[in-house]
Amino acid sequence: MDRELIAYLDGRFASLVKLVDDHSQSLQAEMQALRVDMNRGFERVEAATRRNTQPMRH
């Protein structure tokens, strides 16, 4: 292959690597935020379940 083609392909691959890396980081951040939101929801459900299942005191 000639050097121009190799340089072009190197640039394209570098661009693809950056694109994948950027999207990977973004996806990881979104998944972490979703995990936090889900945990908060589970905590609310657990608290409501505890409140609603406590024996009544007379």
Side-chain angles (χ1 to χ4, degrees):
M1 280 196 246
D2 67 3
R3 289 180 184 192
E4 287 180 25
L5 179 58
I6 291 173
Y8 171 77
L9 291 176
D10 282 347
R12 295 295 293 164
F13 285 124
S15 295
L16 289 172
V17 166
K18 183 176 180 349
L19 180 67
V20 169
D21 188 50
D22 289 349
H23 284 322
S24 173
Q25 290 175 8
S26 175
L27 181 58
Q28 289 176 22
E30 288 182 41
M31 289 174 63
Q32 178 61 28
L34 178 60
R35 196 175 298 122
V36 168
D37 288 344
M38 286 177 57
N39 285 336
R40 286 182 187 147
F42 289 137
E43 288 169 1
R44 285 193 308 268
V45 168
E46 183 180 5
T49 301
R50 270 189 261 123
R51 282 193 307 270
N52 293 327
T53 58
Q54 289 179 353
M56 294 179 58
R57 295 182 184 171
H58 296 279

